[in-house]
Each structure stands twice: as structure tokens, then as C-alpha cells.
Amino acid sequence: MIHHFRHLLVYTFLFSLLVSTSAQISPISQNMKEWYLEERFLITDGNDDALLDRKELAKFSNEFAYYLVDHHFNSSDINRDGYLSFNEIRSRVQTEMKYRTSIERRELRKLVYKFPKLPSNDIGFFYTHPEVVAELFGNLTWMYENASVAKHLLSNYSWTSRHPEVMVVLQKNLRWMVANPLEADRIYTNRDISQQLPELLGWRADHRNFIKQNRLSDKFYLIDFSSID
């Protein structure tokens, strides 16, 4: 009951925002963005108080890395109550996204230093280094900038089945999963991998339902989540 009530409150807030921005953003992209923002907040709010504290944010550190820095958390906490509301987090999406990109580029530079062949996008190198692919699949920046390579690797079902750790990491890349709905739906069908991520059970069920209710093209969506606010 609390979960559904919170959904209603968030949807009411999102609807008012949707009306003001629908003229600038295509309906399908806007729906996906708004769904993503709401759902990642809901799965993180473990005690259902409609507020996120540092402990809750740490459970999804890739998604909320920005707020795990004390200065960023404090500057986002507008009413200074020690928690972040949906409204407070949503108002920082653009800054948060830029921070994530900078962190991911720094991680990519470290990987290139360790593996000089990485920039060549040699498929053979990726097949023999699944641990590197796992790091890259968790890196939204790399996934966007190398979408064709990522798609090639994902299409090799035999290889991905032998390296489930790669797919586990990818399912944690929530923003990418939302931006690639049909690929995400296929990934969700692997129950063995899904069982390794019990914290995402609610997310997966809601995401698959969203995909089912929205007719989406079979393509990689390069949604610019930083343009939400």
C-alpha cells in the first residue's frame, strides 16, 4: 500500500514536469527518462520513507556516486534535514550526470594505461579479457561511445553465457538498461543471472512491465539523461 501511494505521489509530481517539457522532448524519450528517475529512487528507498540517506545511496554507488561525496550531498540537501527527497535529487540530475561522466572517463584512462590495446576495440581482445568487458559494461560513457562494439559482444550469446559476471555488471548499469529496452528485456530472461541481483527484483519486474506497455523500436537509444532538468 505504501509503495503504491508513493508511486501516486511521484507520478503526480512527474506529470506536472512532463506537461512543461513535452514540447521540447519526444514523448517516448521523456517517458523513459521519467520512469527511470522514479524507479531508481523507489528501489533505493529501502525503508519507504520517501527520503534517501547516505546508507541507502551507497547500495547503488554507481548510480548515486555524486551524492556519496559529502560536499555534494550537503549542497543537494536543500532543507538541511540530512536526507534527500525525490525533488532534491531530480533537481541535480544534470550536475550528477556530468560528475558520473568525469568519473567514468577517469576510470577509462586507467584501463587504457593498463591495457594499451583497449582503444583499438579489438573484438578478439575483449573475448579473451571478460574482466575488462565487465568494467566497460558498467561504464555508461564507454557503452554510449562504443555502442556498436557493445552490441556485437552482447549478440554473442555463447560468450556471454560463459561469462555471466559480465551480464551481472550490465544489469547494474540502470541508466543503460533503460536506454536499451529490448536488449534489457532479453537480458532479464536469464533467471540465473537475475537471481544474483535480488536487490533488483522489483526493478526488473517494473521495467519489463514498462517495456511491455510501451511500443519501443529495436535500436540502441542514446538518451541524454543529463538534459532532464
Side-chain angles (χ1 to χ4, degrees):
M1 178 68 70
I2 294 176
H3 183 74
H4 291 303
F5 179 66
R6 289 168 54 233
H7 265 83
L8 179 61
L9 290 177
V10 175
Y11 272 125
T12 301
F13 173 72
L14 292 178
F15 179 76
S16 64
L17 292 168
L18 177 61
V19 171
S20 64
T21 58
S22 59
Q24 302 172 342
I25 305 174
S26 64
I28 186 64
S29 295
Q30 182 66 18
N31 287 343
M32 293 170 75
K33 292 177 183 179
E34 300 294 359
W35 183 92
Y36 160 76
L37 287 180
E38 178 202 357
E39 286 296 320
R40 74 167 190 161
F41 186 93
L42 292 175
I43 64 169
T44 307
D45 184 17
N47 62 359
D48 291 329
D49 64 352
L51 296 169
L52 302 184
D53 58 28
R54 288 176 172 84
K55 186 176 181 180
E56 289 173 323
L57 293 167
K59 292 181 180 179
F60 294 92
S61 56
N62 285 344
E63 285 292 323
F64 295 105
Y66 175 80
Y67 303 105
L68 296 179
V69 177
D70 286 342
H71 171 71
H72 296 159
F73 185 98
N74 294 332
S75 62
S76 303
D77 182 16
I78 299 174
N79 64 359
R80 301 292 187 269
D81 63 352
Y83 300 91
L84 297 182
S85 66
F86 180 81
N87 192 17
E88 287 172 330
I89 283 185
R90 193 188 192 288
S91 68
R92 305 288 289 187
V93 169
Q94 189 173 61
T95 302
E96 175 198 334
M97 184 63 181
K98 289 179 180 178
Y99 179 80
R100 176 171 179 170
T101 300
S102 68
I103 293 296
E104 290 182 335
R105 289 201 181 283
R106 185 174 67 191
E107 294 304 313
L108 287 175
R109 287 194 293 270
K110 290 180 181 179
L111 271 179
V112 171
Y113 180 79
K114 188 176 181 180
F115 301 99
K117 290 186 64 175
L118 187 58
S120 67
N121 281 337
D122 180 354
I123 295 298
F125 168 81
F126 291 131
Y127 284 155
T128 56
H129 292 80
E131 75 282 2
V132 175
V133 177
E135 289 196 52
L136 294 174
F137 275 16
N139 191 300
L140 185 68
T141 301
W142 187 88
M143 292 293 283
Y144 272 8
E145 295 179 349
N146 300 272
S148 60
V149 178
K151 190 172 185 178
H152 181 92
L153 291 168
L154 287 169
S155 66
N156 190 330
Y157 303 152
S158 175
W159 184 80
T160 56
S161 66
R162 294 196 305 274
H163 299 286
E165 70 276 12
V166 172
M167 305 309 289
V168 169
V169 170
L170 184 57
Q171 284 199 43
K172 293 180 180 179
N173 196 339
L174 303 183
R175 220 171 295 202
W176 186 89
M177 296 289 281
V178 172
N180 297 272
L182 297 189
E183 191 67 34
D185 195 40
R186 181 185 71 80
I187 293 171
Y188 290 149
T189 61
N190 189 322
R191 295 182 180 275
D192 292 336
I193 293 177
S194 296
Q195 289 176 356
Q196 298 184 48
L197 297 167
E199 69 274 20
L200 294 181
L201 280 175
W203 167 278
R204 285 192 294 274
D206 288 347
H207 193 192
R208 296 193 78 173
N209 186 53
F210 175 83
I211 295 171
K212 183 178 180 180
Q213 293 180 5
N214 292 270
R215 302 183 66 178
L216 306 169
S217 301
D218 188 10
K219 58 180 283 190
F220 275 59
Y221 283 85
L222 300 183
I223 295 180
D224 181 12
F225 286 96
S226 65
S227 66
I228 294 176
D229 57 344

